[in-house]
Amino acid sequence: MSNKSATTSTTVSTQEPMDHSVEIGHGNSPAAWTCVAIMLVGTIVGCVAFTIGESATILFWVGVGIIAVGLVAGIAMKAAGYGVEGSKLKNTGH
């Protein structure tokens, strides 16, 4: 048997305090909302297919496809300037 203690001590590193005055943004943009809305529809389609049973395998994959379309739509809208701080948006400070 070892004479070492069962508890170990951890050292806490001191880091610079976090600057909370900088707004990080939470994706509140038309691109993000469109992406999430389309993906939500795909999730609902997939869940309905899952509850129906084995006969709805194709419907499940349709839901997965809708989720992929939502992701592509969000990326395309961001590239078009509808993302956070996009060129097509008026920055109202909200």
Side-chain angles (χ1 to χ4, degrees):
M1 289 189 66
S2 175
N3 289 335
K4 289 186 178 181
S5 172
T7 59
T8 59
S9 64
T10 58
T11 53
V12 177
S13 63
T14 56
Q15 298 176 353
E16 294 183 23
M18 187 178 274
D19 184 12
H20 292 285
S21 65
V22 178
E23 187 172 331
I24 59 173
H26 294 284
N28 192 9
S29 67
W33 282 102
T34 302
C35 177
V36 168
I38 294 171
M39 292 173 87
L40 183 61
V41 170
T43 303
I44 292 169
V45 169
C47 288
V48 167
F50 187 75
T51 57
I52 290 174
E54 290 183 27
S55 62
T57 302
I58 293 174
L59 186 60
F60 170 78
W61 287 109
V62 167
V64 171
I66 293 171
I67 292 171
V69 167
L71 181 62
V72 170
I75 292 170
M77 287 183 70
K78 182 180 178 186
Y82 291 100
V84 174
E85 296 182 11
S87 60
K88 305 276 172 106
L89 300 178
K90 295 179 181 179
N91 191 359
T92 61
H94 294 152

